[in-house]
Amino acid sequence: MQISLQNQVAVITGASSGIGSGIAKSLASAGATVIVNHSSERSADEAKAVLKEITDAGGKGITYQCDVSKEDQVIKMFQDVVSEFGTVDILINNAGIQKDSKFTEMTIDQWNAVIGVNLTGQFLCAREAIKEFLRRGIDPSRSIACGKIIHISSVHEIIPWAGHANYASSKGAIRMLMQTLAQEYGADKIRVNSICPGAIQTPINKDAWSTPDALNSLLTLIPYNRIGQPQDIGNLAAFLASDLADYITGTSIFVDGGMTTFESFSTGG
Ligand code: BGC
């Protein structure tokens, strides 16, 4: 049994670092042509470095700058990708940010920035992807399905998170977006799922792992007793995007070393 994404084109948002870069590498190694999206000029070099690793390993792809919270930019990205590669088969809705604050001090800018990227960005990209899937229709030389969307959510789609109300709200909403799209487009053979990562070692949560004290405290929340790596998410993304997962749609899969078993209850409650 082998995961193959041969002949397929995948857009991975927020792929210049962290989980997105891990997913781009996994999808490329399974044969997909990857669009390594990054949000701004500042992340261009990082995106190029991710792409270089992919092409050095024999993979194919391009980098593409687009702020997913901006409708005109998202529409243009999908138009450009379709005109260069013919279509899009897989969307990995990954781009996400945190702007943490105690709730009573949270500014409207912190709220809007997080909802804009994490939720509106996933809406815009999913809308453009689904339009393209429907335009192309099913092509069995590519996949049994008409298209695949994987939302990158979080354990915080179900774990409340004090000091992170904007982030947790965006992730809770992603669950309903994902399930609604799976319901609405199931008959069109479009599969829509979420991956919910726990603590993965990336720049977004550097404060939680970059000192021994912080890491030890983080590990008390993880029964499996290690921090996750982008590859842990990439492995599942490649499987979920492939025809091996053809009967999986409308679900959230947690990749969290057991974080959602609520470890603190092992000695309390
Ligand atoms: C957040 C990380 C956090 C992890 C577990 C993720 O969604 O982005 O900052 O470490 O959840 O709490």
Side-chain angles (χ1 to χ4, degrees), residues 83-94:
S83 75
E84 184 164 349
F85 297 104
T87 190
V88 174
D89 303 275
I90 299 161
L91 165 64
I92 310 289
N93 244 339
N94 167 75

Side-chain angles (χ1 to χ4, degrees), residues 9-222:
V9 178
V11 172
I12 303 106
T13 67
S16 56
S17 73
I19 289 174
S21 68
I23 295 175
K25 289 174 205 168
S26 294
L27 267 50
S29 75
T33 297
V34 291
I35 315 308
V36 177
N37 160 255
H38 61 103
S39 61
S40 67
E41 195 51 49
R42 267 182 298 124
S43 45
D45 287 346
E46 278 183 304
K48 281 187 201 131
V50 172
L51 183 63
K52 181 167 184 320
E53 237 187 273
I54 288 169
T55 52
D56 285 353
K60 304 177 286 288
I62 57 165
T63 63
Y64 195 101
Q65 183 183 327
C66 160
D67 175 346
V68 296
S69 69
K70 303 281 180 344
E71 184 175 29
D72 54 337
Q73 294 187 29
V74 172
I75 291 172
K76 183 163 189 314
M77 173 168 71
F78 278 85
Q79 278 170 350
D80 288 350
V81 171
V82 171
S83 75
E84 184 164 349
F85 297 104
T87 190
V88 174
D89 303 275
I90 299 161
L91 165 64
I92 310 289
N93 244 339
N94 167 75
I97 58 170
Q98 285 183 218
K99 301 266 182 206
D100 308 328
S101 167
K102 196 169 158 43
F103 186 65
T104 45
E105 280 146 33
M106 188 172 282
T107 64
I108 186 76
D109 286 348
Q110 286 173 314
W111 176 269
N112 283 340
V114 170
I115 298 297
V117 174
N118 297 14
L119 183 58
T120 308
Q122 294 214 5
F123 151 67
L124 291 170
C125 291
R127 189 186 66 186
E128 296 314 300
I130 291 174
K131 282 198 243 170
E132 172 54 22
F133 298 161
L134 296 174
R135 184 201 65 77
R136 169 180 30 80
I138 298 174
D139 173 354
S141 72
R142 313 173 74 88
S143 174
I144 308 169
C146 183
K148 283 86 52 149
I149 296 180
I150 299 171
H151 297 274
I152 304 303
S153 177
S154 166
V155 288
H156 298 295
E157 83 169 36
I158 60 162
I159 302 180
W161 204 15
H164 309 260
N166 47 3
Y167 185 84
S169 302
S170 72
K171 297 300 183 177
I174 286 169
R175 185 185 186 92
M176 272 297 132
L177 175 63
M178 174 277 289
Q179 289 187 303
T180 300
L181 297 182
Q183 189 190 66
E184 195 163 333
Y185 292 99
D188 297 297
K189 294 258 174 280
I190 295 172
R191 292 194 296 108
V192 189
N193 292 289
S194 290
I195 298 178
C196 300
I200 308 298
Q201 190 168 19
T202 70
I204 207 172
N205 58 359
K206 197 159 186 283
D207 291 348
W209 51 262
S210 53
T211 66
D213 278 356
L215 184 59
N216 282 334
S217 149
L218 180 66
L219 292 179
T220 65
L221 302 174
I222 307 172

